[in-house]
Amino acid sequence: MLINEFLNMGLHFIIRQNGKRHLNYNGKNLPLKRIYRKAKLTHTYRVTRDYHGREVEHFYQVGALRVYFPTTDLKGRIEIPLWLVVVKKEGRGYSWFLCYLDTDKANEAIEIAMK
């Protein structure tokens, strides 16, 4: 699995998730869709985009949780801390980013993922 190889090589990454993955949170391997709602969306981001010559603003609420990648058999976890960055677009659904970053602070993980 690609994520296992990245972790083994110590390569940092940000990978958008589709919600079908299991992650280890608080010592339990659980579906991502059960974990992400635990994230407190503490940061707000305003993004301005150009749509056909017109600027449109989008607002996002963002939070982060410390998670771990489960072992292949889903019975344990790889002891490398990761971040699950949770993004909610105003009036829309969620996006999730699994991140291996050089920070142990949630606000820095959020900043890096949102850039």
Side-chain angles (χ1 to χ4, degrees):
M1 182 172 285
L2 192 58
I3 291 175
N4 285 335
E5 291 182 35
F6 286 165
L7 292 172
N8 288 334
M9 292 187 289
L11 297 175
H12 294 143
F13 57 80
I14 299 172
I15 301 174
R16 186 169 186 199
Q17 301 297 289
N18 62 13
K20 296 180 182 177
R21 177 178 307 287
H22 279 69
L23 296 170
N24 186 286
Y25 175 71
N26 282 344
K28 297 178 184 172
N29 288 335
L30 301 167
L32 181 149
K33 288 192 174 183
R34 281 191 50 201
I35 297 170
Y36 82 91
R37 293 194 183 267
K38 307 275 187 203
K40 293 180 181 168
L41 305 179
T42 56
H43 293 66
T44 301
Y45 283 84
R46 180 178 61 92
V47 176
T48 303
R49 293 201 173 125
D50 182 356
Y51 286 107
H52 307 292
R54 194 182 88 189
E55 285 190 352
V56 178
E57 286 186 335
H58 299 277
F59 291 92
Y60 300 88
Q61 297 295 318
V62 187
L65 294 171
R66 182 62 92 187
V67 297
Y68 293 84
F69 202 67
T71 56
T72 308
D73 61 6
L74 292 178
K75 293 182 180 179
R77 70 183 193 184
I78 298 171
E79 293 298 325
I80 298 172
L82 305 172
W83 290 105
L84 178 64
V85 176
V86 179
V87 180
K88 169 103 172 66
K89 184 175 180 183
E90 188 176 83
R92 299 276 180 124
Y94 288 84
S95 294
W96 312 283
F97 299 89
L98 184 62
C99 308
Y100 177 43
L101 305 169
D102 191 22
T103 184
D104 61 351
K105 297 177 183 165
N107 62 327
E108 289 178 9
I110 290 168
E111 281 289 324
I112 293 167
M114 291 302 290
K115 283 183 184 176

